[in-house]
Structure formats: structure tokens, C-alpha cells
């Protein structure tokens, strides 16, 4: 399988301090990848470097093209990035926020979308179940609703690569599952989805691949069973896990400090 | 911003308010004509029209073309520039309290102007003062970039702006302090208050190109301001060159507002009030805000400039003083609202 996104010797240093040690990773299209690691492991940094949003050394290639050499709009058409926190600084309507996902495609005014752009916006909102929120200002939405609107914004770009930084943080269990389901759905439609998360159990259950980082270093990259071993979890998270069988499937459960 | 957003939500969902820009244009035109009609010599509508078309009484023509027309044009241009610059700054900073003076360009322009006055290089028809002021505004941009560095963060730029404006303020004070005679100091003080009195068509031709270029420069960034609603990181991921955008806004504001200061002195608060008045009418969209904010700025400055001519006073009130007097209570209102929204826990 040929890689859609490839990093070779990607490293990040800020203020003379190395935040991300050189790492090389390669991802094919259509996979759902969870980026795991304890706080301070460099997950967000790695994600931003992969998105080309922060200065980094090494190379990221996007469908064989050097990411650093792409024009910002071209890069934005290929990589949709969902930052942490879901901040919106003005009380824009949900639909206007989602329409910003079409900005890389040259949409200047969300009030005047072309049919193609409107279709992408409506489709993204339908997929994340927020069509009914379209005309509400995002500021009045609940955390779960806002998370869905922000996810729709990223989907509206229709980028082949989707990077999400803790998309389930501060969400109730229902919305955690909804958002992860939506992201997985995108990967099944052919996109490469990489999501940073702290939810080891959800990642183990849903992701195709796990990338495990610790103190700025790549520890392991592979299928969940191969990466989320007792040894890794004890060494990196300092926890021991239980693996009860639910619905015939082993479920990973952080149990106690190891 | 809980309450206000609640109101926006209750409003018609797709209300585009297509009447807004035409209505503001109408208001500006009406105030423009009112400004032409205002002055010690009363002119009837017929006399006004005749003089505008180059007919009628010679004295009326001179009053209109040489005295009132430049004043009214400057009020429109400078008011528009201040409103637009305010909206652009607020869009860039994602903060309704940001003003065009934040990066120090107006203060630097004022400082250079004051230096030419105190050195006695300025006489009624001299180009020295406005050109010095524009150069001062430009110098402030270079100083800002030199202090904050290229690709500086917003916080660093705000701090550098504070340093630049403090330096310009100190320089202005020093120039007044060292002024050759009390009259020079008084002239500086009056000039700093901001006025559109006794400006000629030459001032108009000097300032207009700068305002035009600056307005186009800022207006072209409207899509980027909307993307910035999601924060700098998300905007960058959408393809906005955030660092370039910052530089363009700083440059545009310095160009336009610097040129405005060059001919009119410092006129405060229009850049803060105009965008804020218009924001609810454009559903808080920072991109759709730009044009209405500019027009509202033009209307505000025209109105203020008419008011200073009507208000009976022993010596005439400077328009910059009036905008400040009206502006401060408004600013307080803004802060109180901000405080309430912060207390509401939704920031």
C-alpha cells in the first residue's frame, strides 16, 4: 500500500529544547490512527508538525509531494486540522463556522456558497448530526454540540487527510463515541484520520493503528494489540490494565498504578 | 457574550440585512450635505447646489469649494479609515476592545508632526507636517518589526506596540517641553486635539491615496479575518498565512491611520465605536463587518464635525475632543458588557 502521508526524520525543537525526537512514520489512506502518549509526550507537537503548522526539521510528504513546498491553500485542501479546545471568538452561526471548512476552496462569503460548496457543508453537518443547529450561534451550543459543529467544519473541507487533536476531550461518553464513530466513518470513506486521544480503551477498540509516543520519542507504531501491550502501558503510562471480555471482545481497562 | 448571542440566535436565521450598506451610504450622503450646509454663512439648498456646480455667487463658491468641501471630504475619508482600521484590528486580535492605535502608528505620526511644529518647519500651506507624520507612521512599522521580530506572535506585537506608542508619547511630551516658545507649545496642544478645520483640497489630495490603498489592503483580508474566528492555529490550517496577515494589517493601519493623523491630528474612539455599533447588524461576522464599520465611522466623524460647529462655545471645540468625550462613556459601556459576559462564564 502506498503512503498518503509520510514523515521522515521529522523533529521539532522550540527555544533550543527538543520536543519531538526525529521520527519516521508512514500512513496509507483509509486508516484510523490513534496518537497516544501521556501528557507531555509530544502528541500535539507531532500532529502539528505533520500538518505543517509549526517549524520542523525533516520531511513530510503528502502523496509524494513535499509538504513544506506546498502553498498554504493547497496544503489546507489536503490536510484538515481540528485543534484542541474548539474556540470560536465571535458568535458566528454554526453553519458559517462549518462553511469555513470551504475556505481552502476559495469560499469568501458563507452567505454565498456555490452549489458544490453548499453540498459539502450540508453533507458534513448531516454526518455529524448538527443540521438542526445550523443557525444557532456557536457560543450558545453545549460542549457536545460545539464539538460536532467543529468536526463538521473539518469534514466540509473534504480533505483526504484529517488530523484531530483530542477531539473527544471534555465530552460526555455518548459524544465521545459519536465523535470517534464519525472519525472512523471518514476513514472508511477513504480518508486517513489521525486523532490524538487520552482514551486508551476507545483507541484500542476503534483504531486501526496506534502510534505511541513518550517524552518526544516514538515508542511503537502498529495495530492496537501489538502496541498496547502490558509492558508498554506499564512503562509509559505507569498503569496496569485489566482486559475483561465484553461482547466477545477484550476491552482494555486501565486498572491501577503499576 | 451569552446575552447578546442569545439575541442573535433569536433573530431571523439568515437575516442578511441587505439594506445595511445602502442605508449607511444614504446616511453618509445626508450628513455630507449637512456638513456642507453648516457654517457661519447660511447657504440654502439652491445656493449649495449652484455653488457645487460652479455657478452662483462667487463668495458662496469659495466658501463651499475651498472651506467646506475639503472638510467634509476629509471627515468621510478619515472616518471611514478609522472605522475600517478598527474593524480590521478587532478582527486580527479577535477582541472587540482593540483599536487602531494599538501598534503605535497614530502616536508615531503625531510625534513626527509635533516635531515639525516645534522646529517651526510648519506653516499654513506647508507639506512638511503631513509628510513628516506619514513618515513617522511608517517608521513605527519598522520599529515594531525590529522590536518584535519578523513572525512575531500577537502578544509580542502588542507589547512592542505599547513600547512604540509610549516612546512616541514621551517624544511628543519632550517636544512640547522643549518648544521654543509658549505659542509653539500651544499650537502643538491644539493640533494634537484633532481637527478638520481650515484644511484645503491639497490636504485631501495628500491623504486620499494613502487611505484608498490602505482600505483596499485591509478589505482584501476579510476572508482571513473570518477564518481567524477559529483561532490562529485553525486559520493557519485553513490556508491563511497568519504572519503575513498580521504584517499587512499593521502596514494598512499605519498607512491609512498615519495619513489621517497627518492631516487631522488624533481623533480617538471612532475606530473603537464604529465597528462595535455595526457588529450586531452583521451577525458578528468579522468579514462582513469591515464595510459597514467604515461607513459608520464616516457618519460618526461627519456628525461630530457638524456638532463642533453648531455647539455654542467661546472658542471652537476640536472634533477630536468631542469624539473622546462621547467615546469614553461608550468605552466604559463596552467594558461593563465584557465584564458581564465574563461573569457569565462564557468567554
Amino acid at each position: 500500500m502506498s503512503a498518503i502521508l509520510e514523515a521522515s526524520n521529522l523533529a521539532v525543537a522550540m527555544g533550543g529544547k527538543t520536543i519531538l525526537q526525529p521520527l519516521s512514520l508512514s500512513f496509507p489512506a483509509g486508516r484510523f490512527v490513534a496518537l497516544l502518549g501521556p501528557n507531555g509526550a509530544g502528541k500535539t507537537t507531532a500532529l502539528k508538525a505533520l500538518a505543517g503548522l509549526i517549524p520542523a526539521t525533516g520531511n513530510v510528504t503528502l502523496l509524494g509531494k513535499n509538504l513544506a513546498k506546498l502553498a498554504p491553500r493547497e496544503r489546507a485542501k489536503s490536510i484538515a486540522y481540528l485543534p484542541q479546545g474548539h474556540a470560536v471568538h465571535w458568535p458566528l452561526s454554526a453553519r458559517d463556522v462549518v462553511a469555513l471548512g470551504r475556505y481552502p476552496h476559495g469560499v469568501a462569503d458563507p452567505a454565498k456558497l456555490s452549489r458544490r460548496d453548499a453540498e459539502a457543508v450540508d453533507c458534513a453537518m448531516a454526518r455529524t448530526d448538527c443540521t438542526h443547529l445550523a443557525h444557532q450561534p456557536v457560543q450558545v451550543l453545549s460542549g457536545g454540540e460545539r464539538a460536532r459543529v467543529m468536526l463538521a467544519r473539518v469534514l466540509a473541507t473534504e480533505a483526504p487527510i484529517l488530523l484531530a487533536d483530542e477531539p473527544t476531550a471534555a465530552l460526555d461518553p455518548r459524544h465521545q463515541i459519536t465523535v470517534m464513530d464519525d472519525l472512523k466513518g471518514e476513514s472508511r470513506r477513504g480518508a486517513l484520520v489521525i486523532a490524538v486521544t487520552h482514551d486508551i480503551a476507545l483507541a484500542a477498540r476503534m483504531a486501526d493503528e496506534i502510534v505511541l509516543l513518550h517524552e518526544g520519542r516514538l515508542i511503537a507504531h502498529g495495530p492496537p494489540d501489538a502496541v498496547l501491550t502490558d509492558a508498554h502501558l506499564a512503562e509509559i503510562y505507569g498503569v496496569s490494565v485489566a482486559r475483561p471480555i465484553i461482547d466477545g471482545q477484550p476491552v482494555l481497562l486501565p486498572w491501577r498504578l503499576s | 457574550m451569552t446575552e447578546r448571542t442569545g439575541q442573535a440566535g433569536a433573530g431571523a436565521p439568515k437575516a442578511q440585512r441587505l439594506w445595511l450598506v445602502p442605508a449607511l451610504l444614504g446616511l453618509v450622503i445626508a450628513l455630507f450635505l449637512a456638513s456642507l450646509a453648516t457654517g457661519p454663512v447660511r447657504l440654502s439648498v439652491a445656493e449649495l447646489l449652484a455653488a457645487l456646480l460652479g455657478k452662483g455667487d462667487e463668495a458662496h463658491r469659495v466658501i463651499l469649494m475651498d472651506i467646506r468641501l475639503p472638510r467634509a471630504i476629509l471627515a468621510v475619508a478619515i472616518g471611514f479609515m478609522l472605522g475600517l482600521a478598527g474593524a480590521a484590528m478587532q478582527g486580527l486580535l479577535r477582541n472587540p476592545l482593540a483599536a487602531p492605535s494599538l501598534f503605535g502608528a497614530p502616536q508615531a505620526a503625531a510625534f513626527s508632526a509635533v516635531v515639525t511644529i516645534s522646529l517651526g518647519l510648519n506653516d499654513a500651506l506647508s507639506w512638511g507636517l503631513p509628510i513628516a507624520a506619514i513618515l513617522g507612521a511608517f517608521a513605527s512599522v519598522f520599529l515594531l518589526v525590529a522590536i518584535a521580530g519578523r513572525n512575531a506572535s500577537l502578544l509580542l506585537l502588542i507589547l512592542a506596540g505599547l513600547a512604540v506608542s509610549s516612546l512616541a508619547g514621551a517624544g511628543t511630551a519632550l517636544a512640547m517641553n522643549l518648544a521654543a516658545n509658549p505659542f509653539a507649545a500651544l499650537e502643538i496642544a491644539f493640533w494634537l486635539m484633532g481637527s478638520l478645520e481650515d484644511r484645503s483640497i491639497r490636504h485631501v489630495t495628500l491623504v486620499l491615496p494613502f487611505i484608498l490603498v490602505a482600505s483596499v489592503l485591509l478589505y482584501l483580508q476579510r476572508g482571513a479575518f473570518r477564518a481567524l474566528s477559529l483561532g490562529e492555529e485553525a486559520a493557519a490550517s485553513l490556508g491563511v498565512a497568519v504572519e503575513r496577515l498580521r504584517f499587512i494589517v499593521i502596514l494598512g493601519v499605519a498607512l491609512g491611520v498615519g495619513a489621517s493623523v497627518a492631516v487631522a491630528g488624533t481623533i480617538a474612539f471612532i475606530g473603537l465605536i464604529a465597528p462595535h455599533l455595526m457588529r450586531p447588524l452583521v451577525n458578528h461576522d468579522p468579514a462582513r463587518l469591515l464595510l459597514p464599520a467604515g461607513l459608520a465611522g464616516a457618519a460618526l466623524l461627519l456628525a461630530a464635525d457638524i456638532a463642533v460647529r453648531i455647539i455654542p462655545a467661546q472658542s471652537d471645540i476640536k472634533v477630536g475632543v468631542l469624539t473622546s468625550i462621547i467615546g469614553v462613556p461608550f468605552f466604559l459601556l463596552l467594558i461593563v458588557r465584557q465584564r458581564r459576559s465574563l461573569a457569565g462564564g462564557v468567554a
Side-chain angles (χ1 to χ4, degrees):
Chain A
M1 256 189 299
S2 71
I4 181 170
L5 187 69
E6 201 165 1
S8 56
N9 292 316
L10 188 66
V12 177
M14 277 176 204
K17 199 177 149 217
T18 304
I19 308 219
L20 192 66
Q21 308 265 9
L23 64 83
S24 297
L25 289 165
S26 152
F27 305 102
R31 313 300 316 265
F32 184 28
V33 182
L35 191 48
L36 297 181
N39 291 324
K43 304 182 294 295
T44 296
T45 306
L47 201 70
K48 283 185 195 169
L50 282 172
L53 294 176
I54 51 172
T57 55
N59 251 324
V60 178
T61 44
L62 186 87
L63 287 164
K65 279 182 264 178
N66 188 342
L67 182 70
K69 293 203 173 115
L70 283 182
R73 287 248 171 150
E74 289 310 308
R75 186 203 63 212
K77 269 187 224 176
S78 306
I79 302 182
Y81 174 79
L82 179 62
Q84 246 177 76
H86 308 157
V88 182
H89 295 273
W90 305 109
L92 300 179
S93 75
R95 193 163 196 275
D96 282 2
V97 167
V98 177
L100 278 173
R102 300 304 290 170
Y103 184 85
H105 298 272
V107 169
D109 190 344
K112 295 177 196 133
L113 295 180
S114 73
R115 188 188 295 180
R116 176 75 199 78
D117 291 320
E119 212 176 83
V121 169
D122 292 338
C123 179
M125 295 189 85
R127 270 185 210 164
T128 54
D129 189 25
C130 54
T131 307
H132 61 290
L133 305 172
H135 300 301
Q136 306 233 22
V138 276
Q139 255 79 353
V140 305
L141 301 180
S142 71
E145 290 170 335
R146 197 192 280 212
R148 269 148 52 203
V149 169
M150 299 317 261
L151 185 59
R153 192 269 294 172
V154 192
L155 300 190
T157 306
E158 299 183 326
I161 299 169
L162 217 154
L163 307 180
D165 197 353
E166 294 203 30
T168 57
L171 293 184
D172 59 37
R174 183 186 119 89
H175 281 106
Q176 288 182 24
I177 294 173
T178 316
V179 166
M180 288 300 253
D181 270 343
D182 287 341
L183 287 172
K184 183 152 185 167
E186 287 310 301
S187 73
R188 293 304 171 259
R189 287 189 191 88
L192 164 66
V193 179
I194 305 178
V196 167
T197 177
H198 277 300
D199 195 327
I200 310 173
L202 213 53
R205 242 174 68 208
M206 298 182 78
D208 304 312
E209 298 175 17
I210 304 273
V211 173
L212 188 58
L213 295 179
H214 184 46
E215 292 172 349
R217 275 177 307 118
L218 175 65
I219 303 297
H221 174 202
D225 294 343
V227 174
L228 297 175
T229 59
D230 290 353
H232 272 152
L233 291 168
E235 180 197 333
I236 288 160
Y237 283 97
V239 294
S240 63
V241 293
R243 297 179 193 267
I245 308 287
I246 299 176
D247 279 353
Q249 206 186 354
V251 173
L252 194 148
L253 203 61
W255 196 242
R256 59 164 69 94
L257 297 183
S258 63
Chain B
M1 297 194 179
T2 351
E3 305 154 71
R4 275 184 296 133
T5 54
Q7 283 162 19
K14 269 192 162 178
Q16 275 294 298
R17 297 194 178 86
L18 295 170
W19 49 264
L20 182 63
V21 168
L24 285 168
L25 267 176
L27 181 66
V28 169
I29 291 169
L31 285 166
F32 184 81
L33 294 174
S35 175
L36 292 182
T38 309
V41 177
R42 303 204 91 196
L43 293 178
S44 70
V45 177
E47 285 168 326
L48 210 73
L49 281 175
L52 268 180
L53 296 170
K55 294 177 200 147
D57 189 63
E58 172 73 25
H60 289 170
R61 263 208 322 267
V62 170
I63 288 173
L64 194 73
M65 302 308 264
D66 292 352
I67 298 173
R68 294 192 190 168
L69 194 62
R71 185 173 189 160
I73 293 174
L74 284 177
V76 171
I78 291 172
F80 183 86
M81 189 67 241
L82 292 174
L84 178 66
M89 288 291 288
Q90 294 174 6
L92 181 72
L93 272 78
R94 290 153 279 143
N95 189 321
L97 299 178
S101 57
L102 202 62
F103 294 138
Q107 295 90 329
F111 167 64
S112 321
V114 162
V115 168
T116 61
I117 298 175
S118 70
L119 293 179
L121 296 175
N122 179 46
D123 59 71
L125 287 175
S126 165
W127 293 86
L129 185 144
I131 287 172
I134 290 169
L135 289 177
F138 267 112
S140 77
V141 176
F142 286 107
L143 195 58
L144 192 73
V145 174
I147 295 173
R150 288 184 53 129
N151 309 337
S153 70
L154 212 45
L155 181 66
L156 215 52
L157 281 171
I158 292 170
L159 289 173
L162 191 65
V164 171
S165 51
S166 304
L167 184 66
T172 305
L174 184 68
M176 284 177 82
N177 197 173
L178 296 179
N181 56 62
F183 299 107
L186 202 63
E187 196 189 343
I188 291 170
F190 272 115
W191 186 86
L192 281 175
M193 288 174 190
S195 170
L196 295 169
E197 242 174 296
D198 302 330
R199 302 302 194 263
S200 72
I201 207 78
R202 297 178 68 180
H203 287 109
V204 175
T205 52
L206 179 73
V207 72
L208 229 42
F210 286 99
I211 286 183
L212 217 61
V213 170
S215 299
V216 170
L217 214 54
L218 294 178
Y219 189 67
L220 287 177
Q221 313 308 320
R222 62 191 185 286
F225 291 138
R226 189 184 286 116
L228 264 185
S229 305
L230 301 176
E232 294 198 345
E233 221 168 58
S237 79
L238 285 169
V240 174
V242 177
E243 279 141 11
R244 208 178 113 242
L245 175 72
R246 276 191 218 124
F247 184 71
I248 291 175
V249 173
I250 289 170
L251 192 70
V253 169
L255 262 179
V257 178
S260 304
V261 170
V263 298
T266 42
I267 293 170
F269 284 107
I270 300 252
L272 188 70
I273 298 172
H276 204 75
L277 286 176
M278 293 300 114
R279 188 166 285 117
L281 300 177
V282 295
N283 297 334
H284 300 262
D285 183 330
R288 249 173 268 159
L289 176 65
L290 294 178
L291 192 57
L295 292 172
L300 281 172
L301 190 54
L302 275 168
D305 191 44
I306 292 168
V308 293
R309 279 176 280 174
I310 294 174
I311 296 170
Q314 245 173 5
S315 69
D316 34 291
I317 298 170
K318 303 284 182 197
V319 72
V321 177
L322 186 70
T323 58
S324 295
I325 288 173
I326 298 171
V328 171
F330 188 87
F331 191 63
L332 287 174
L333 189 76
L334 252 174
I335 296 171
V336 170
R337 271 203 198 171
Q338 192 84 352
R339 197 176 68 177
R340 228 184 283 153
S341 77
L342 287 180
V346 184

